[in-house]
Amino acid sequence: MVGSLTYNPFRLMPILEDRSIEFLSHSPEQTQRLGVRLGELLKPGDLVCLAGDLGSGKTTLAQGIARGWGSLDQVTSPSFVLINEYRRADSAILYHFDAYRLSGVAEAIALGLEDLLGDDGPVLVEWPERVAEALSPHRLWISLRWVDDLRRGLHIEADGLRYERMLVQFRQAAFGG
Ligand SMILES: Nc1ncnc2c1ncn2[C@@H]1O[C@H](COP(=O)(O)OP(=O)(O)OP(=O)(O)O)[C@@H](O)[C@H]1O
Ligand SMILES: [Mg+2]
C-alpha cells in the first residue's frame, strides 16, 4: 500500500478525500507522540483547534505539539491562565489559548485573541467552538473523544489548502503513508 502511494502521480496534489483522518490513540504518550509529528509541521500563522470534552486529551496533545514545534517551555493546562506562550530558541512564540472559562467571543476578543491570530506565532485553541466566530475558516480542527481510561479517538479535519497539505505531511510522518 505504501508502494502504491509512493508512485501515485496525484500524490503532490491536494486530495479532497484526504481532508480528514481518524485514528485511535492507546495512551497519553501516543497522543503526545502524534502531537510531536504535527508540531514539527507548524508554520507561522497556523491555527490548530483542539475540541473535545473535559479530559479528552486536548492539553496532552498540545504538549506534544509544542515539543515538536521546538518549545523550550513545559506545556501546562492553560485553563487558569487562558493564554500561554511557549518560546523556541529562535525566540518564535507558540500561543496556546483556552476558551473554556470564557463567556463568549466578546471576552475572547477583549483578551486579545484576534491579536494572537494575527501574529506570527502558530496558535492552538482549546474549546474552539466557544469562540468560533473569531476563528478563520481555514484551520486544522482536531476533535478528541474519550473511549476508555487509556484510549482516545482523534479526528482531524483540514479546512483550506495549507491545512490539506499539512494533513498529507502529517499522515506520512505519523503513519508512513
Ligand atoms: N490516549 C490518551 N490520550 C490523551 N490523554 C489520555 C489518554 N489516555 C489517558 N489520558 C489521560 O487523560 C487526561 C487528559 O487530560 P487533558 O488535560 O489532556 O485533557 P483536556 O482535554 O485538555 O481537558 P480540559 O478540557 O479539562 O482542558 C490525562 O490525565 C491523560 O493522562
Ligand atoms: Mg486542557
Side-chain angles (χ1 to χ4, degrees):
M1 198 185 104
V2 172
S4 69
L5 271 179
T6 306
Y7 294 106
N8 180 346
F10 301 111
R11 203 173 127 246
L12 294 178
M13 296 172 66
I15 304 164
L16 281 178
E17 309 85 271
D18 279 355
R19 278 187 49 231
S20 69
I21 181 173
E22 179 138 29
F23 50 90
L24 197 62
S25 160
H26 294 80
S27 68
E29 295 74 25
Q30 188 180 12
T31 298
Q32 287 182 347
R33 280 199 302 276
L34 290 162
V36 169
R37 294 281 93 85
L38 185 58
E40 287 166 351
L41 302 172
L42 287 188
K43 298 238 162 47
D46 282 342
L47 172 61
V48 178
C49 299
L50 304 170
D53 289 341
L54 290 169
S56 60
K58 301 180 294 294
T59 298
T60 304
L61 184 63
Q63 287 166 345
I65 293 174
R67 184 146 35 93
W69 174 78
S71 171
L72 303 172
D73 303 314
Q74 182 70 30
V75 171
T76 52
S77 174
S79 290
F80 301 99
V81 183
L82 296 175
I83 304 170
N84 276 346
E85 296 182 4
Y86 310 118
R87 274 159 213 285
R88 206 162 62 179
D90 64 0
S91 78
I93 297 177
L94 171 72
Y95 297 104
H96 184 191
F97 190 89
D98 192 328
Y100 182 61
R101 275 157 211 280
L102 298 186
S103 57
V105 76
E107 194 181 353
I109 289 169
L111 280 163
L113 176 60
E114 286 184 323
D115 298 335
L116 292 193
L117 294 169
D119 200 70
D120 277 349
V123 182
L124 312 178
V125 180
E126 290 192 41
W127 296 96
E129 59 275 30
R130 302 202 174 188
V131 291
E133 301 99 307
L135 301 174
S136 165
H138 292 168
R139 71 266 176 126
L140 206 65
W141 187 284
I142 307 181
S143 303
L144 295 103
R145 182 174 50 87
W146 191 94
V147 176
D148 60 26
D149 271 2
L150 281 179
R151 293 189 298 171
R152 301 292 186 271
L154 278 82
H155 181 268
I156 307 183
E157 184 180 314
D159 297 306
L161 193 53
R162 155 77 188 128
Y163 298 95
E164 287 176 28
R165 288 184 172 143
M166 191 194 289
L167 193 57
V168 170
Q169 289 179 308
F170 172 73
R171 198 190 303 263
Q172 277 172 348
F175 305 108

